[in-house]
Amino acid sequence: MSLMKELRERRLLAYMGAYLVTGFVALEGVDQLISYEILPSVAYPVALVVYLFGIMGSLTFAWYHGEKGRQEVSRREMSIHATLFVLAAATGFYVARAELADQERERMRLAGLEQLSPTEDPRRIAVMYFEDRSPGGELAYLADGLTETLIDELSQIEALHVVSRNGSRLYRGSGLSLDSISQALQVGTLVEGTVAESGDQLRVSVQMIDAASGKQVGSRRLERSRDELFVLLDDLSLEMSLFLREQLGEEIAMLQVTAGTSDTEAWATVQRARQVAELAQELGAAGDFSAASAELLRADSLLDAAENLDDQWLTPVTERGWVAYRQARLGGFDRSHYADWIERGIGHAQQALLREPTDADARELRGTLQYWRYLLNLAASPDEAEELRGAAEVDLRAAVDSEPDQASAWASLSHLLAGKSDIAGGKLAALRSYEVDPYLANADVVLWRLFQMSMDLEDDVEARNWCEEGQRRFAESFRFVECQIMIQSLKGQQPNIDHAWQLLDRYMELSPAHLREFNRHKGEMLIAMALARAGQVDSARALAERARADATVDPVRELAYIEAIVRTWLQEYDEAIRLLGVFLAANPGQRESVARDQTWYLTDLRAQPGFNSLVAP
């Protein structure tokens, strides 16, 4: 009791409370100054050391001077304060040196990482599609769902570069070696996994592999019952967080799965529907449109069931809209088929937007369908067509504003902007699409668009860059041989005509059978452009005339348009205007686009009297 009385008389608690509050405020101030880069980051741990030793100092001061009245400073007090000062200084020096050493090691580590090639950098990660090891492939939907969820979660970590689903999907079941896959995807870390079952238990094994050495750097096995599916997803995310911390030596935030629904059956049904839709896409690519349509109907039924299981979950609604969009692309020449499925798809998008007006997927879906309706000339009048294109642009811009990494929306916006002669805006959108996801299903089209728009902007360096990138990524695509021929006609070039003829042979070799005849004429017309650029007037004229084709080979009269460019460069303006008229007669909807076109190909022709009358509304 006498001790408590003495503590009260010396006011230790009051002094301590005042010191703790004041010191905490001071620490917060140091933290703010560090955040504004006024103080170095090492200042905080040093200030914390001073603060902690100051607690002992404040207690000592209170003990000797807390009582009312005046107290003398004793030698013992001075000794204690001096000892605390020396200890604080020594500890602060040690902490500062250790902190600075850690920062230097981190700086050197990061510098070392920056010098690594992409296939040596552990921060570049590809999650390969998990293998289903259940009898009859019954868990394929779960294997895909686990893979895609993990890709989505890892993609949220800023320190990592994670290959998209589209990139991983390219190598599902490919049989390629891990080294080949890491080279193709340019990653230093690969994640593999398997899914199996034992009774009502689900078993997931996952391995992380160093691509440079091929060595496994860690593995985990998780086991949960079927009714604990979301717990399994969370466990998988937690284990991946620990993997990354061990491999990268960084504080990686614990991943938290957000499935979007609390109904495991709804989630599983959507995964099954995605599998079916992917099969439909493969059938469509193989030309079996009837089977593809049947599979899309099956996918729609599954999504309808998922929607009924959880009517608050937007994903089944928007996915049904994308299924309708895919159906609309299987229409052949049946305009009513297009119109019907587009209308259904827009209905799903509207339904989703009624619940969540800012949902990026729903805005992209509606914008894409409206633009598809515009491209198919399904509008009742030119004014309605312009309204459709305008509404599509508003939706696509809203989608990328809400989700800047919406690569497919950027790709669609790129095409739309280029179609309205905003070449610079279209190129920027295509560039953003490719940066966000180089492995989009139509990545070859995006690369081709980047090349074309670089040509339109007369940018020699960029045109070559995107042509070479296309050759690297899609070596068997005729498009990226065509671009090599086109580059010969850029201003300021010294066309290599012999090489252009060699490229034409390769162009024909890679062209699909149904395009081979047209591409022969087109390739010759492009060489005629190069001859015109080289000043070989007679050769350019003769080859252009030889490269002409009738409507059975060139129904949209693209060759007439290219020849109009050749004739313009040869200063044969009357013939150029006649040929441009042939093109516009076959494509009356392009009149406004040609009138607005400011690209360099027809610059001299636009100054001719007959041009304005040709493109006037």
Side-chain angles (χ1 to χ4, degrees):
M1 292 298 293
S2 60
L3 175 61
M4 290 302 297
K5 180 180 178 182
E6 191 164 3
L7 290 177
R8 285 196 297 270
E9 288 177 352
R10 294 176 185 269
R11 297 180 290 178
L12 258 69
L13 294 179
Y15 272 79
M16 273 298 298
Y19 175 80
L20 290 174
V21 171
T22 304
F24 179 78
V25 171
L27 281 175
E28 288 296 298
V30 170
D31 189 46
Q32 287 295 314
L33 291 173
I34 291 171
S35 68
Y36 288 115
E37 299 184 352
I38 296 173
L39 290 177
S41 59
V42 71
Y44 190 85
V46 172
L48 183 60
V49 168
V50 172
Y51 176 64
L52 293 174
F53 274 95
I55 293 174
M56 292 300 298
S58 68
L59 284 171
T60 303
F61 184 83
W63 182 264
Y64 285 101
H65 302 283
E67 291 181 292
K68 294 181 180 179
R70 182 177 178 182
Q71 290 88 30
E72 296 292 333
V73 178
S74 68
R75 288 186 176 182
R76 187 175 182 184
E77 179 191 354
M78 291 178 63
S79 297
I80 294 173
H81 283 305
T83 301
L84 290 172
F85 176 81
V86 170
L87 288 174
T91 306
F93 175 77
Y94 175 80
V95 168
R97 188 173 67 172
E99 178 70 15
L100 290 171
D102 286 346
Q103 290 179 10
E104 179 63 16
R105 281 193 293 271
E106 180 66 8
R107 187 188 68 78
M108 294 297 293
R109 188 186 72 81
L110 291 174
L113 287 175
E114 293 303 325
Q115 294 172 7
L116 294 175
S117 70
T119 54
E120 295 172 325
D121 188 344
R123 298 168 301 177
R124 299 179 65 88
I125 297 175
V127 182
M128 308 313 298
Y129 270 80
F130 287 13
E131 181 184 349
D132 170 27
R133 291 189 176 173
S134 64
E138 295 176 1
L139 297 178
Y141 75 92
L142 178 59
D144 287 0
L146 289 170
T147 306
E148 292 171 3
T149 299
L150 193 53
I151 290 172
D152 290 345
E153 293 301 315
L154 291 175
S155 299
Q156 305 305 312
I157 301 175
E158 292 184 3
L160 305 179
H161 172 89
V162 182
V163 172
S164 70
R165 301 178 184 186
N166 298 307
S168 296
R169 190 177 289 119
L170 290 172
Y171 299 95
R172 177 165 54 184
S174 66
L176 291 175
S177 67
L178 294 178
D179 179 63
S180 298
I181 294 172
S182 72
Q183 288 289 339
L185 295 177
Q186 294 289 281
V187 294
T189 301
L190 291 163
V191 178
E192 289 190 315
T194 61
V195 180
E197 62 181 343
S198 177
D200 67 343
Q201 295 292 107
L202 297 172
R203 185 181 301 119
V204 176
S205 298
V206 60
Q207 303 86 37
M208 184 175 280
I209 299 164
D210 176 11
S213 65
K215 294 181 179 178
Q216 181 176 291
V217 295
S219 65
R220 299 285 193 279
R221 174 179 285 187
L222 308 172
E223 191 166 326
R224 293 286 180 183
S225 63
R226 281 179 173 271
D227 59 2
E228 293 182 305
L229 180 56
F230 289 160
V231 176
L232 179 61
L233 285 168
D234 279 325
D235 287 349
L236 179 61
S237 297
L238 174 62
E239 293 301 328
M240 284 306 304
S241 303
L242 296 174
F243 268 158
L244 293 167
R245 289 182 179 199
E246 292 170 2
Q247 188 183 17
L248 302 180
E250 294 183 4
E251 188 71 12
I252 299 296
M254 292 299 180
L255 301 176
Q256 181 64 46
V257 173
T258 52
T261 178
S262 58
D263 190 310
T264 56
E265 185 59 30
W267 184 87
T269 304
V270 167
Q271 301 308 317
R272 292 188 182 96
R274 286 174 173 169
Q275 265 198 314
V276 173
E278 191 171 327
L279 172 61
Q281 190 168 343
E282 293 171 3
L283 291 168
D288 193 344
F289 301 130
S290 176
S293 180
E295 290 301 317
L296 287 174
L297 288 173
R298 189 157 71 93
D300 183 71
S301 295
L302 285 167
L303 291 167
D304 183 40
E307 190 178 346
N308 289 328
L309 287 167
D310 184 349
D311 60 6
Q312 296 304 307
W313 191 23
L314 286 187
T315 296
V317 182
T318 53
E319 294 265 350
R320 291 187 75 187
W322 287 114
V323 165
Y325 171 67
R326 291 182 183 180
Q327 286 278 23
R329 296 189 68 94
L330 297 175
F333 297 101
D334 186 352
R335 290 171 63 86
S336 63
H337 175 94
Y338 289 132
D340 178 47
W341 282 108
I342 288 173
E343 194 62 34
R344 292 194 207 184
I346 289 176
H348 292 306
Q350 298 281 42
Q351 182 184 347
L353 289 169
L354 282 174
R355 298 188 207 168
E356 183 50 68
T358 61
D359 185 75
D361 290 334
R363 292 300 292 265
E364 180 189 353
L365 172 61
R366 188 173 67 179
T368 302
L369 286 162
Q370 290 179 123
Y371 188 47
W372 187 231
R373 178 185 276 170
Y374 166 82
L375 290 174
L376 293 172
N377 294 316
L378 295 178
S381 67
D383 287 343
E384 183 183 330
E386 281 304 305
E387 288 177 8
L388 273 175
R389 183 165 66 176
E393 182 177 349
V394 168
D395 273 336
L396 291 171
R397 287 191 183 278
V400 297
D401 285 345
S402 176
E403 292 289 342
D405 289 347
Q406 202 92 343
S408 52
W410 281 114
S412 297
L413 182 61
S414 165
H415 190 276
L416 185 151
L417 294 174
K420 55 186 280 191
S421 299
D422 182 1
I423 304 301
K427 183 182 176 184
L428 288 173
L431 183 60
R432 181 61 178 158
S433 173
Y434 193 69
E435 286 173 345
V436 169
D437 188 358
Y439 302 104
L440 271 178
N442 63 339
D444 58 333
V445 176
V446 174
L447 278 171
W448 175 248
R449 198 173 297 152
L450 282 164
F451 163 75
Q452 285 186 310
M453 288 186 283
S454 297
M455 284 286 291
D456 290 348
L457 294 170
E458 207 174 352
D459 189 332
D460 174 31
V461 174
E462 281 285 283
R464 289 182 183 279
N465 171 60
W466 293 114
C467 184
E468 290 170 2
E469 177 72 358
Q471 293 168 54
R472 184 186 71 80
R473 288 279 315 278
F474 303 99
E476 299 302 308
S477 170
F478 70 90
R479 292 180 187 274
F480 299 108
V481 179
E482 181 179 326
C483 70
Q484 296 176 70
I485 302 174
M486 291 179 66
I487 284 173
Q488 303 283 333
S489 63
L490 273 167
K491 287 184 180 180
Q493 299 298 306
Q494 292 295 324
N496 185 335
I497 304 302
D498 291 339
H499 182 53
W501 283 109
Q502 293 171 5
L503 288 171
L504 181 61
D505 291 338
R506 178 63 173 162
Y507 183 54
M508 294 303 301
E509 179 187 338
L510 294 178
S511 295
H514 69 285
L515 289 178
R516 197 163 292 140
E517 178 64 15
F518 171 77
N519 280 357
R520 181 178 67 80
H521 291 273
K522 183 177 182 180
E524 290 182 349
M525 197 67 80
L526 294 175
I527 294 175
M529 286 177 63
L531 287 166
R533 178 62 66 210
Q536 299 182 32
V537 176
D538 292 339
S539 297
R541 183 185 302 115
L543 183 57
E545 289 176 356
R546 190 181 85 183
R548 291 173 176 174
D550 60 24
T552 59
V553 175
D554 181 23
V556 298
R557 297 301 193 177
E558 182 181 350
L559 296 174
Y561 183 83
I562 299 174
E563 188 180 351
I565 296 173
V566 175
R567 298 292 180 163
T568 298
W569 292 359
L570 297 178
Q571 299 183 7
E572 298 173 356
Y573 300 124
D574 290 342
E575 181 63 4
I577 286 175
R578 184 190 72 79
L579 289 163
L580 189 58
V582 171
F583 170 77
L584 290 175
N587 303 274
Q590 293 292 317
R591 190 180 304 275
E592 183 181 351
S593 178
V594 172
R596 290 198 308 260
D597 184 9
Q598 294 299 311
T599 55
W600 57 280
Y601 305 101
L602 298 175
T603 298
D604 294 341
L605 190 64
R606 284 193 288 271
Q608 302 305 310
F611 180 83
N612 287 333
S613 59
L614 185 65
V615 299

